[in-house]
Amino acid sequence: MKRLIQNGTIVTASDTYKADLLIEGETIAQIGQQLAVQGVDEIIDASGCFVFPGGIDPHTHLDMPFGGTVTKDDFETGTIAAAYGGTTTIIDFCLTEKEKPLHTAIEAWHKKAAGKAAIDYGFHLMIGEINEAVLNELPAIVSTEGISSFKVFMAYKHVFQADDATLFETLTKAKELGALVMVHAENGDVIDYLTKQALKEGKTAPIYHALTRPVEAEGEATGRACQLASLAQSQLYVVHVTCQEAVQQIAEARKQGADIWGETCPQYLVLDESMLRKPGFEGAKYVWSPPLREKQHQDALWKALKTGALQTIGSDQCSFDFAGQKDLGVNDFTKIPNGGPIIEDRFSLLYSEGVAKGRIGLNEFVDLVSTRAAKLFGLYPKKGCIAVGADADIVLFDPQAERVLSARTHHLAVDYSAFEGMRVKGTPRTVLSRGKVIVRDQTYVGTPGEGAFLKRARYGELWTNDLVGQR
Amino acid sequence: MKRLIQNGTIVTASDTYKADLLIEGETIAQIGQQLAVQGVDEIIDASGCFVFPGGIDPHTHLDMPFGGTVTKDDFETGTIAAAYGGTTTIIDFCLTEKEKPLHTAIEAWHKKAAGKAAIDYGFHLMIGEINEAVLNELPAIVSTEGISSFKVFMAYKHVFQADDATLFETLTKAKELGALVMVHAENGDVIDYLTKQALKEGKTAPIYHALTRPVEAEGEATGRACQLASLAQSQLYVVHVTCQEAVQQIAEARKQGADIWGETCPQYLVLDESMLRKPGFEGAKYVWSPPLREKQHQDALWKALKTGALQTIGSDQCSFDFAGQKDLGVNDFTKIPNGGPIIEDRFSLLYSEGVAKGRIGLNEFVDLVSTRAAKLFGLYPKKGCIAVGADADIVLFDPQAERVLSARTHHLAVDYSAFEGMRVKGTPRTVLSRGKVIVRDQTYVGTPGEGAFLKRARYGELWTNDLVGQR
Amino acid sequence: MKRLIQNGTIVTASDTYKADLLIEGETIAQIGQQLAVQGVDEIIDASGCFVFPGGIDPHTHLDMPFGGTVTKDDFETGTIAAAYGGTTTIIDFCLTEKEKPLHTAIEAWHKKAAGKAAIDYGFHLMIGEINEAVLNELPAIVSTEGISSFKVFMAYKHVFQADDATLFETLTKAKELGALVMVHAENGDVIDYLTKQALKEGKTAPIYHALTRPVEAEGEATGRACQLASLAQSQLYVVHVTCQEAVQQIAEARKQGADIWGETCPQYLVLDESMLRKPGFEGAKYVWSPPLREKQHQDALWKALKTGALQTIGSDQCSFDFAGQKDLGVNDFTKIPNGGPIIEDRFSLLYSEGVAKGRIGLNEFVDLVSTRAAKLFGLYPKKGCIAVGADADIVLFDPQAERVLSARTHHLAVDYSAFEGMRVKGTPRTVLSRGKVIVRDQTYVGTPGEGAFLKRARYGELWTNDLVGQR
Amino acid sequence: MKRLIQNGTIVTASDTYKADLLIEGETIAQIGQQLAVQGVDEIIDASGCFVFPGGIDPHTHLDMPFGGTVTKDDFETGTIAAAYGGTTTIIDFCLTEKEKPLHTAIEAWHKKAAGKAAIDYGFHLMIGEINEAVLNELPAIVSTEGISSFKVFMAYKHVFQADDATLFETLTKAKELGALVMVHAENGDVIDYLTKQALKEGKTAPIYHALTRPVEAEGEATGRACQLASLAQSQLYVVHVTCQEAVQQIAEARKQGADIWGETCPQYLVLDESMLRKPGFEGAKYVWSPPLREKQHQDALWKALKTGALQTIGSDQCSFDFAGQKDLGVNDFTKIPNGGPIIEDRFSLLYSEGVAKGRIGLNEFVDLVSTRAAKLFGLYPKKGCIAVGADADIVLFDPQAERVLSARTHHLAVDYSAFEGMRVKGTPRTVLSRGKVIVRDQTYVGTPGEGAFLKRARYGELWTNDLVGQR
Ligand SMILES: [Zn+2]
Ligand SMILES: [Zn+2]
Ligand SMILES: [Zn+2]
Ligand SMILES: [Zn+2]
Ligand SMILES: [Zn+2]
Ligand SMILES: [Zn+2]
Ligand SMILES: [Zn+2]
Ligand SMILES: [Zn+2]
């Protein structure tokens, strides 16, 4: 099976050029000027389009239990929406439970995804405690099962929160095994105290979710994680960075030479704390952790993307219906399920608010939305690039098309959009996953279950120069 | 004329993959797996080689008068040596004189290069003063003549040094015209005072060249240039950064969002101040301005390359014979012509000390040695990349070959090497300039004069997204 | 002659306590509880008052020519006003001219002061150039004539501005001689360019004075001075710091261990740039150099005083009548004489806005307004403290009294007040100079000419521990 | 009872002057030149001496149980030694136990001190947990019992260590009550992990005490405490700061305006990590927590004292015999009791290494060793100053006398000195406590039990200007 993409402008993390692109089977075979059409089974016209590598979303929560309910979107609705939005790979968080084998959780996660995923996927593994059993399971998980990233929570006291000993030992172990440690960096102790105080004072509305999770709690935890990683000489990835205080800690650690990376999410670039003050219970739609911040932090985050202090964009997709799920917290903000729908709009929001508004360059966009995550999480060079030999995960993106984001038109199961009514410039037109068109002219034409589980390489293993074997 | 490069590993500023590469005429036509050989005029085997975009050296001084003598290497010997070393484009500094038309200098520089250059070249224009005449000449120089970068000296008092008013007005004007301002950042006043004091005290040996140009003088001037550029909201490029103090100033300004870039040179990464203390007059071989620094600054520079505080590598090629030129200063270090031979070894030194020793990645190497300079100086996307449609300026680089640097084997006219006896890993094997092989298996097979003058685009003009016209 | 101050609260730079104070002749003889009154010639009741050491104003311009006119206030009106305001010592700037002996200026300044000064005074010496003649005069000026501080201007191009070579050599020389180098830190080249551009564009109103002297120009010059001082390992005092950018440079240099000090002035703590936009030509009353800044810089300055990044308060007294002097610039802001009346209100403004509003402590106030300047400028321990053996320069200050600042009630000759209508808390009630009451119950009762010239010690000479001879 | 100190040089935190000093009963009554001797009961000659306010040691552990043993020195031997060393006030840490009333501990501590203390003393209160019982006891402890400082441990996991929730709530509560929160800032989790790893690997020698408590663990915890204090808008005092990493965190927080203070101890200024590597078990004598650091940190600490990043000097006196106590850890460094004897030498070491070597000024010395602690801990103006009305706690210090520190000559019960054989310049000759001579010519002439418990004022209560009632 040969497919030819004609007349597009190919964009990689460093280069932009007009060329045709030939796909043989699942991979990219040739890139050239006016490639021959003979023997080609399908010709796809990319006139007026950018030809991007498919988006990689390194931060999703599909079919995830939380606070007594389960996210509305599962691996089927979630990955179809992702595909519509230009994302062809996700890495989902596999949540473990203390005192249960890690494999119990991993098998559960495989079951959630199998037969449903419309695009390729991998898993991060949550580490909630370190003990002999955990230490016994980990090596094979990384080396054989292709799960080469661990997640540690510094918040959610009495639920997910790990102490510093666990974080530090995870970092130490990860270095040994070749895994990347990811942290949710907020000081859970401080938040726990502030939350209890707020409830004591009868402060139950959604806005108190934000006010009890101050930027200092994120800045502090981010700095702590960076210092522990530096001490362990290990690698660290800080998920969902939201504020100047946290950016500053990461930037400083990187300046010292630490192997530390930071992710932010579109919601923090585009929305702000004032949304939580909307009348009635409307603010519950905007309850993320960490919370949306005051508007000036948006500038800090854009500048961090521009100057390289942050390097990736995740969605932190974690959707709950406004009616029936979010309203668990109508009388108590601590009971509002945390998170929102964003997997579909991540790509377009970053393009529209970033590239189209001149805040980041086109090649920087590709690095942020795809290439860097592929490299960090052991997917490169199969994923994350337009290059001969790579998987033909491709997005034809029309930069001129405009559309309005809305729950009426999105492809998630959840009942609202946090970006309702927002106009974006640029839209994914056609999307290929491993050579096969799964979205054609903005219509999903794939089959759930086609997405494959990705065994990922060890951290750093594939960046190096060894393609010709010299190292 | 069609040429096919087979079996190589293509490396760009973001990607690394195995593919063949077809050249039609002067440009890259196709990249693919096992491209067809029919109709191909020449097949070049790149087995075991990296296929890099040709190096771009943004900082050379060929055939340049200095202190009553002239650099030993001119556009012929200099560019042939560059080609041997894997560099296919240089940008040379056109020195102007006060009270003379800028065009007098530009024409002189065109004459120096014409009929001699073995590779393509452009010019930066020195600005020594701003007056009505200068202001009248500048617009056409940028827009019509393709000279879109200006050089201002903050040192060399009474010779090249411009005052802050000139620097600030140049920055302001450059912003308007779309030019990039480059500075030699050392405080010339301080150096002038220290130099006179040293001579008064009978300190005439080469080491006093270093001791009278302290890091603080560079750090201060770098900070000053950054602050003036920020105030003018203009773009700035600091040439030959040598020390932690200067790196810090650039990093801080970039963190604030300033459009500021920094270059270092291989000599500062590899050599150190102690070389100037060699017995006899030997130290004169190592007289650069700014001077070589104490060893710990090498680490600071490598870290700056790794963390993006510095973005390019220039050579500052400026060669004078040890016998007959450097010895003008045998009794007075201030009379030693400043500079050394480095154009040929820039590429290999960065690879060997950087990539092969694990200090920088392979894609970072390409960005530093080629791509970033192409983008900054208006040469991209014709130069600086392996991409369909780009000029076929290509280096086949054997990462396993080792060789020893020496004046006996280099291809410059100058009579010594500053890296005499140093072993490097990796060597350019074959080099193409606009599709034509000019170095084959480490032998120059081109013709001087084939190199063309490059009219460069305005600063920022070609980075943008407008290849499909949306901006 | 014995005088006894009873019932006051003595305040020093570190301590606060209730005690009586006995003066014998010109000096403080005893401090104690209920000191005996027999043999006392005069009893002064300080009930309800703080007993402060007399204020020291290290930055005044009296009887100074500027831009074709002369400051309205001379050593008589200026020092009487100072005395009213609680200041008992000033150090005035002696302006020199290039190519004239320094002593010409020093003698002129002695003449201006002699027979007129109501309080004690010293001189700083402006250095505009360094040459053999200057180098010959300087040693005796410091060692014999008691002028141990030099002033260098980095702004006022073509008038006072010295180049970096002069500044650096002055720093070097000052270290050798034991003098403190003071700088007016603004980048005069940048200001000169911006000023010319503004005038070209027909921007002549007072506000353009501020807009052509941006904070970056002050931040840059401050950083430059700090770096040159660090390199010279000399001592530096930055006068009239106005903005966060400059504070940051000083704080950073001090953190590195540099011997650097910073002064701000009440006008920068209390007034802001918007004053220059007042209707008509009113803004000219607020033309200082550096200019008043946007309001947020006030906070930065208060924080700098609190955290020790700045250490003294000068007035930069330099008064010109609104009618007849300031209006020289009615059609061209560059012709407005720079400066304003502030010598009288310095002390009260700092108390009222600082201590009474809780921004600084009472002991910090004493250090800022008196003690630190005495130590830095070689006047301590005769001046700047309430201590046995010190000159009885004393202010009885009623912290409860309120008054309104106004040109109608001030004691300067100039025709306006920059603080017209401002209410302050606390007022000097009675002031003694060397034991003699010169202001009694807010009425001047002294005789002009009583003030004596102060030969000041070398920098650092008197801070040390050698009072019992151990060093 | 009247005593007169003649011919001395009085030194306060800001001033230095020659004067006599008259004491009536327990307080300072007069300071003056040649005070009358009639009616004086005792004349003390201070010729050649500095007259300092008595030292205040804000950090001691006397008669304290630790790791199954009890410190060798109790309130009798400890305070007599302190008096010999020039210290006239200590504040000792009262250790509480979880789930027991705070008053149980307070009463125990009163018993330890009563009838034994040779000098005045106060208590800090350890907070190990916050619950209803604790919250009920705290207000009266601060307001009635005069214990206005709380201590929280961030290290000693499973023993003293409190979690961040406890620290944060303590900060919040302290702000409300007017108490100062003190932290032992090391990351106990990290240390616990590293310690276990070391033991697993058979690393049992004293040096591993230092190697398992890296500077990063202190830097991190210090930053965390500063950020929590800033968020709580409370006051914080970091005890025993040992390294550049921690200094930097405190300096940065203070720059932001936080109300944060830092203490270091003489051992960190004078000794270094290499002491723990002494042959045999000798290194155990140097086991403090945090540990002694590499030598370059000494410079950082001196610079921090000089630039005001640290403000006090505590001893952290906590002595255990080398024979019989330290040797509990001969086979396992974790069993070595932490701490050493230093209460007697604190004052002299700071003078000798600080003032006599030119690292700090004489007035800075007084502030560090006495005045600042008095102000921070609610003892001022009774303690910490030479001022009329203050307690006559006075040290006559001979700056010329030299002596050698040794266990043979010190006055502690413990069997070794960490400074054995070190020569210091300057020695306390005669010491007065509330007007009474307790050390005369280097001989203790007091009576144990004369020392009184000091009820201390609330944090900040007595610094203010209200001595004349205006606030
Ligand atoms: Zn999270
Ligand atoms: Zn998440
Ligand atoms: Zn240069
Ligand atoms: Zn150059
Ligand atoms: Zn000035
Ligand atoms: Zn002035
Ligand atoms: Zn401790
Ligand atoms: Zn302790």
Side-chain angles (χ1 to χ4, degrees), chain D residues 39-215:
Chain D
V40 167
D41 301 283
E42 178 179 7
I43 292 182
I44 301 168
D45 181 36
S47 299
C49 279
F50 289 129
V51 178
F52 286 134
I56 296 176
D57 188 341
H59 189 159
T60 69
H61 303 280
L62 297 176
D63 200 359
M64 186 190 82
F66 183 93
T69 184
V70 177
T71 58
K72 185 63 179 295
D73 287 285
D74 63 9
F75 275 81
E76 181 164 335
T77 59
T79 57
I80 289 172
Y84 269 104
T87 292
T88 54
T89 298
I90 62 166
I91 316 179
D92 199 80
F93 286 93
C94 168
L95 295 191
T96 58
E97 286 178 72
K98 285 194 187 181
E99 295 175 27
K100 292 201 185 160
L102 301 173
H103 276 94
T104 308
I106 293 172
E107 280 154 31
W109 244 259
H110 274 299
K111 265 189 207 141
K112 288 171 194 278
K116 290 190 165 180
I119 56 175
D120 292 350
Y121 57 93
F123 300 147
H124 309 292
L125 184 72
M126 171 188 158
I127 302 286
E129 63 183 344
I130 299 266
N131 53 35
E132 280 312 300
V134 166
L135 292 174
N136 285 334
E137 279 189 278
L138 282 181
I141 288 172
V142 175
S143 65
T144 311
E145 304 183 42
I147 297 179
S148 54
S149 44
F150 304 151
K151 169 77 172 287
V152 177
F153 288 90
M154 301 172 80
Y156 296 112
K157 196 165 187 182
H158 307 308
V159 186
F160 300 135
Q161 186 170 330
D163 63 10
D164 287 358
T166 302
L167 172 55
F168 189 68
E169 187 160 3
T170 302
L171 284 160
T172 302
K173 211 69 202 164
K175 177 171 178 58
E176 184 187 321
L177 298 176
L180 178 56
V181 179
M182 308 166 81
V183 284
H184 175 128
E186 288 187 293
N187 187 312
D189 272 41
V190 166
I191 290 164
D192 187 58
Y193 173 75
L194 293 174
T195 302
K196 284 177 185 157
Q197 289 302 111
L199 290 181
K200 246 186 232 175
E201 298 167 19
K203 297 169 171 170
T204 61
I207 182 63
Y208 292 106
H209 174 76
L211 299 183
T212 55
R213 307 184 82 103
V215 291

Side-chain angles (χ1 to χ4, degrees), chain D residues 410-436:
Chain D
H410 74 200
H411 304 88
L412 288 163
V414 72
D415 69 355
Y416 77 96
S417 166
F419 305 97
E420 189 68 37
M422 188 171 167
R423 174 173 295 272
V424 293
K425 186 157 190 190
T427 200
R429 194 198 287 167
T430 291
V431 178
L432 291 83
S433 170
R434 276 183 279 110
K436 181 163 177 292

Side-chain angles (χ1 to χ4, degrees), chain A residues 59 61 93 151 153 156 183-186 239-240 268 289-290 316:
Chain A
H59 189 159
H61 302 280
F93 286 93
K151 169 79 172 288
F153 287 90
Y156 296 112
V183 283
H184 175 129
E186 290 186 292
V239 302
H240 53 42
Y268 302 113
S289 291
D316 201 5

Side-chain angles (χ1 to χ4, degrees), chain B residues 156-224:
Chain B
Y156 296 112
K157 194 165 189 184
H158 306 308
V159 186
F160 300 135
Q161 186 171 330
D163 63 10
D164 286 359
T166 302
L167 173 54
F168 189 67
E169 188 161 3
T170 302
L171 284 160
T172 303
K173 210 70 203 163
K175 176 170 177 61
E176 184 187 321
L177 298 176
L180 177 56
V181 178
M182 309 167 81
V183 284
H184 175 129
E186 290 186 292
N187 187 313
D189 272 42
V190 166
I191 291 165
D192 187 57
Y193 173 75
L194 293 174
T195 302
K196 284 177 184 157
Q197 289 303 111
L199 291 182
K200 247 186 229 172
E201 299 167 18
K203 297 168 172 171
T204 61
I207 183 62
Y208 293 105
H209 174 76
L211 300 182
T212 55
R213 307 184 82 104
V215 291
E216 289 88 347
E218 183 182 342
E220 184 283 312
T222 303
R224 180 156 32 113

